[in-house]
Every structure is written in structure tokens, then in C-alpha cells.
Amino acid sequence: MESYNNQISLQPNITNDKTAEDPAVLSDEKIKKQPLYKRIIKSKFFSKKMKLLIWVFIGSLMVYILSRFSSDFAEVWTRYPAQGLRFALAMLTNLIPFSLAEVLLLSIPIFAIGYIIASNVATKKDESDETFFKWTRPLVSVFLIIFIILFTAFAPAYNRYKLAKNLGLEQEPVTKNELVQTGIILTNLVKNDLQDITFDSAGSSVMPYDYYTLSKKLNQAYKSYAAKESYISHFYSNPKPIALSKPMLYTHISGVYTFMTGESNVNTQYPDFLMPFTMAHEMAHQRGIAREDEANFVAFLVCINSDDSYIRYSGYANLINYMTSAIANADNEAFKSFSLNHMPKEVLGELIAYSTFFDKYRDSVASDITGAVNDVFLQSQGQSAGIKSY
């Protein structure tokens, strides 16, 4: 009896719970106790498409790293493979009459909030790894695609040859007198076009045609210029007017090239004389001139080689604006003398009118934020001067 009773008392310890003995269930519990990266590796997160995207990303990262170490590689890559990628992006977005980049930028907060809410609801209903990864895959894919485009289509251009080398020029420090002499040359050249320029009562010049005519004229100017220079190629593109140009004045952004969409975007609310130069600057980025000071100089070269007098005037007037700032920083008395004795009254009136226009937007939180972000990005791409490189 005792022996029998012992057997009976031991019986409850022999469980009939198949779950505890099921190897598959034990395996699932073991996996859930593992670190997340191991769970991801062993899960279905890495679909065939995701694996392919990751390999493309790794390849693009290698291209970018190699461009940071070799300007020869960066130059060849920017001129040929990257040029093809920028061309393809521009051709796709040329079909859209508005700025896709602007729409995406404005939509990000809405999509982000919607995505967070939807993913939280879905993962609470089903806490499985598959549901979690189903919602993380698209997010990871978007970030990978953005960096793939950056690393292959645009970022290597920051490491290509200096523009001075491609133009066969020597870059050296300049003296105050050299700045003044250059300013005098520019003011003498701009006088040739002043007779064709109309100014309003405030002193601002008036562009004699609309935005889209300007776009056509600058495309022609780039085509003519690129035919004479090997370092830059031309393709027809439609610089996009920014719909929210007015509020963007507070950011001090007159134009922006969006590498993700391949679009040149232009703020249409700035004074007319800035428009051709700004558009030419953003189109320079689109054609592989990444550094800001070099995009400015290419914009100047393209503008003054145009067969249109207003575009030429814009090129000269904007460079004179930069030149007078440089002279003022070097010697304020030299700046006063230059302005009084050499500056054409029309150009001086233009710059005074622009300064008056800009006073309303000069100090703003938005400009501080966008300036700081742009400064960090430029420095991350090897432009140690950041936004001062403009």
C-alpha cells in the first residue's frame, strides 16, 4: 500500500502539458529571450528585397568612403555614373509641374504621426516579431534609399577636384587692393548691360519675362557653357518654384537642390536680380558642383556667358554684392571709397533696395535653425567653413 500510495502521490508531478514539452514552443521562448539583433537575424525581417537593398546600401557606402579618400575617383564618379543618376532623377521629376521635394517635406510630419499611430495599434493587437518587422521594414527601407541616393548621386561631388583645378586656375589669398581692382573690373563690365535694364521707383531691377522663360534661357546658357567645359555636363531640367516662398524668406533660403528628388528649387519671393543667379546656382548643384562657393562661381560664369542681358546683369550684380562684402570686411574705408567712386548708381540702388527688403527677415529663429542644420551638413561633407563657404 505504501508503495502504491507513493506512486499516486508522484503522479501529479508528471505533467500532461504538451506545451512545456513542445520543442517548437520552447524554441520560440528561447528566441524571445535573445538580444534583438539576433532575433532580427533569425527572423523573416531580411526578405530577398531587403537583403538586396542592404547590399546596394553597402555598395553606395563604399563608393562614398572611396570618394573621401580619392579625389581622382570622386571626379570620375561625379562626371559619369553620378551624372547619370542625377539626370535620371531630374528626368523623372521634370514630369511633375510642382516641387515634389516641397510636398514630401510638408507631408513628413503627417505621414510620421499616421505611421506611428498605425504601427502602435497593429503591434498591440499582434505582438509577434513578424508584425513588428512588417512595420519596421518600410521605415528602414526609406532611410536606406535616402542614403543610397546621397552616397552615389551627390555626396562624392564634395570630394571631386577643386573648381580652380578644373578651370586651370590657381587659388591664392588676395590683398585688399586686388579685391578693389576686381570690383572695379566687374563694375565696368556691368555697365555694358545697364542700358537694357529697367528699375522700379525703389531702385530694384525688373526681370522682363516670367519664371518659366527664365528657366528656358538658363537651360540654353548651361548648354552653351557646358559645350566649352569638360568638367560639367548639361541636361534639360525644370527648376521648381517653391509654393511657400513667402514664409521661406524667414529661413533666408533663396534656393535649394534636393538630392533625393533631383530637383532644383527656387524661392520666387526674393528681388528679381537674385532669381537668375539663384536658379543658376541650384542648377550647378544638379550638375555635380557640390561646394557652395564653387556653385556660386559656376552660376556667375554661366550667367555672364548668357546671350540675355538681364541674366548677365544678375551674374555681375550678385558677384559685386559678394565683392563689396569682402572689401568691407577687409577695409571699411576702402569699401566707402569703392562705393562712392566706382559703383554704378543703378547697382548701388539695387543693393540698397535689397538690404531694405531683407531687413524684415534678417533676424529670425527659422534662419538660425536652418543655418545650423545646413552648417552641420556642409561640415560633414568636408566644407570646414560651413555656411561661410557661400
Side-chain angles (χ1 to χ4, degrees), residues 70-132:
S70 172
S71 58
D72 291 335
F73 173 81
E75 182 69 23
V76 173
W77 182 269
T78 300
R79 285 194 186 197
Y80 304 108
Q83 174 75 354
L85 293 171
R86 292 191 304 275
F87 168 77
L89 284 170
M91 291 305 99
L92 287 172
T93 52
N94 273 350
L95 302 173
I96 304 172
F98 54 85
S99 172
L100 177 61
E102 185 177 14
V103 172
L104 291 175
L105 182 63
L106 295 174
S107 302
I108 285 174
I110 300 172
F111 279 117
I113 293 171
Y115 197 85
I116 290 170
I117 294 172
S119 61
N120 279 337
V121 171
T123 52
K124 283 181 179 179
K125 286 183 178 179
D126 183 355
E127 296 182 354
S128 67
D129 284 348
E130 179 56 34
T131 300
F132 174 74

Side-chain angles (χ1 to χ4, degrees), residues 32-95:
K32 288 183 178 180
K33 291 179 181 180
Q34 291 178 342
L36 181 60
Y37 76 93
K38 287 187 176 181
R39 289 168 60 187
I40 293 174
I41 292 173
K42 292 181 179 181
S43 74
K44 295 180 180 180
F45 178 81
F46 291 99
S47 62
K48 289 183 179 179
K49 291 180 180 178
M50 181 59 70
K51 288 178 181 177
L52 177 61
L53 193 60
I54 290 172
W55 279 115
V56 173
F57 168 75
I58 292 172
S60 70
L61 180 60
M62 295 304 296
V63 166
Y64 176 66
I65 291 173
L66 190 53
S67 74
R68 292 295 294 254
F69 285 95
S70 172
S71 58
D72 291 335
F73 173 81
E75 182 69 23
V76 173
W77 182 269
T78 300
R79 285 194 186 197
Y80 304 108
Q83 174 75 354
L85 293 171
R86 292 191 304 275
F87 168 77
L89 284 170
M91 291 305 99
L92 287 172
T93 52
N94 273 350
L95 302 173

